[in-house]
């Protein structure tokens, strides 16, 4: 299947100052694309200029998107990359950590896409959502992240039905990449070690670029062969996926990996029959 060149394409990337965003902006720039980023803090003089915008502010997003589109002279590709993580056991009531993940991972992408749709429709462009393997294969103690990313996929599906005749809609599913997004989870004693296999950021960026340059916008894109297998198991054999997660979790509990994590206290107690 022949691909499409990125040269001259006008691209808007959210979360442009994060781990994925910086690598993605550099790769797009090197491929000849014209790129503008959105992030909380502006970096207007970088090789890839970044406009400051709080993506959780409904009033700020439309103006920031207009400014980016004006600077680019139109829009061919929107990459919704912004995201945050954090520990959030499903058995505990939702708190600010949960609300922020829903705001950034789901609603920010929704409002950014809505603001960008007029120029995307005019250009017959594309939207790429950076989701997570956890949208398909959820893990314990990170309920907000899995819920927000699964909801993001549901939004992408609905958007595809509404505008897919004119705008390509794709979702990319990375696994775990070493980045500050995991810091708060690790600090809470809930490291993903032994649960999710790390992959290099370069592989995720390459998958996003393949998605952007495919002749037809692919629906769902895994970033690794293992990811394709995990997604297939999660979608087509969910009971098997549940057993695999439970077995891995039981091994971690038995090894005492979560003993020092207050948020996992309920699971530790139940595992030990308390």
């Amino acid at each position: 299947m022949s691909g499409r060149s990125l040269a001259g394409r006008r691209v808007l990337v959210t979360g442009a100052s994060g781990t994925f965003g910086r690598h993605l902006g550099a790769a797009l720039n090197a491929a000849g694309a014209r790129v503008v980023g959105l992030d909380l803090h502006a970096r207007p003089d970088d090789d890839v200029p970044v406009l400051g915008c709080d993506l959780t502010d409904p009033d700020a997003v439309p103006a920031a998107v207009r400014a980016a589109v004006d600077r680019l002279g139109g829009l061919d590709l929107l990459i919704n990359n912004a995201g945050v993580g954090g520990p959030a056991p499903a058995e505990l009531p939702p708190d600010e950590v949960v609300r922020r993940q829903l705001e950034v991972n789901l609603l920010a992408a929704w409002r950014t896409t809505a603001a960008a749709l007029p120029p995307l429709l005019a250009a017959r462009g594309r939207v790429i959502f950076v989701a997570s393997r956890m949208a398909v294969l959820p893990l314990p103690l990170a309920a907000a992240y899995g819920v927000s990313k699964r909801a993001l996929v549901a939004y992408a599906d609905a958007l595809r039905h509404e505008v897919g005749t004119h705008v390509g809609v794709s979702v990319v599913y990375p696994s775990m990449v070493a980045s500050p997004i995991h810091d708060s989870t690790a600090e809470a004693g809930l490291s993903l070690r032994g649960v999710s296999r790390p992959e290099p950021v370069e592989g995720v960026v390459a998958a996003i670029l393949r998605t952007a340059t495919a002749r037809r916008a692919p629906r769902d894109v895994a970033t690794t062969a293992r990811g394709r297998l995990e997604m297939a198991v999660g979608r087509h054999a969910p009971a098997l996926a549940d057993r695999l997660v439970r077995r891995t979790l039981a091994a971690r509990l038995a090894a005492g990996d979560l003993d020092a994590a207050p948020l996992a206290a309920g699971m530790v107690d139940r595992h030990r029959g308390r």
Side-chain angles (χ1 to χ4, degrees):
M1 183 171 61
S2 61
R4 296 163 34 144
S5 172
L6 285 166
R9 293 179 71 185
R10 301 159 298 182
V11 186
L12 176 59
V13 179
T14 68
S17 295
T19 300
F20 288 175
R22 285 180 179 271
H23 283 80
L24 186 56
L28 288 163
N29 198 33
R34 298 168 55 200
V35 190
V36 171
L38 293 181
D39 211 304
L40 192 57
H41 302 293
R43 302 195 329 267
D45 299 324
D46 282 12
D47 290 341
V48 174
V50 177
L51 307 183
C53 178
D54 180 356
L55 296 175
T56 68
D57 183 345
D59 296 323
V61 171
V65 170
R66 281 196 302 272
V69 172
D70 288 345
R71 185 163 182 161
L72 290 166
L75 189 62
D76 300 300
L77 174 63
L78 167 65
I79 302 177
N80 281 301
N81 164 72
V84 294
E91 67 178 287
L92 300 181
D95 57 10
E96 183 55 36
V97 172
V98 174
R99 285 190 291 273
R100 177 149 182 82
Q101 289 182 67
L102 289 170
E103 271 287 344
V104 175
N105 298 348
L106 170 63
L107 297 181
W110 190 330
R111 61 176 60 99
T112 302
T113 302
L117 269 180
L120 284 171
L121 286 164
R124 296 290 182 114
R126 294 188 181 184
V127 182
I128 297 175
F129 296 92
V130 180
S132 166
R133 201 82 38 82
M134 286 178 62
V136 181
L137 191 67
L139 299 175
L141 305 173
Y145 193 75
V147 166
S148 63
K149 290 297 188 177
R150 183 171 288 192
L152 180 67
V153 174
Y155 170 69
D157 291 344
L159 182 72
R160 189 180 297 109
H161 287 309
E162 294 181 20
V163 305
T165 54
H166 290 65
V167 174
V169 180
S170 302
V171 182
V172 176
Y173 298 80
S175 183
M176 177 185 173
V177 175
S179 78
I181 197 172
H182 304 295
D183 288 353
S184 61
T185 300
E187 289 165 3
L190 301 175
S191 167
L192 293 175
R193 177 178 55 84
V195 177
S196 186
R197 180 177 297 181
E199 62 180 290
V201 65
E202 293 81 6
V204 178
V205 170
I208 294 172
L209 295 188
R210 287 197 305 273
T211 303
T213 56
R215 184 170 61 87
R216 293 183 179 177
R219 188 179 194 279
D220 298 296
V221 178
T223 54
T224 63
R226 179 185 176 90
R228 285 192 292 274
L229 176 61
E230 290 177 346
M231 288 173 63
V233 171
R235 282 181 167 156
H236 304 300
L240 173 60
D242 288 348
R243 289 197 297 273
L244 293 172
V245 172
R246 284 198 299 269
R247 186 177 68 183
T248 301
L249 181 61
R252 290 196 70 194
L253 289 166
D257 288 351
L258 302 177
D259 286 0
L263 291 176
M267 291 182 63
V268 172
D269 288 347
R270 288 187 291 275
H271 178 74
R272 294 177 179 165
R274 295 175 185 165

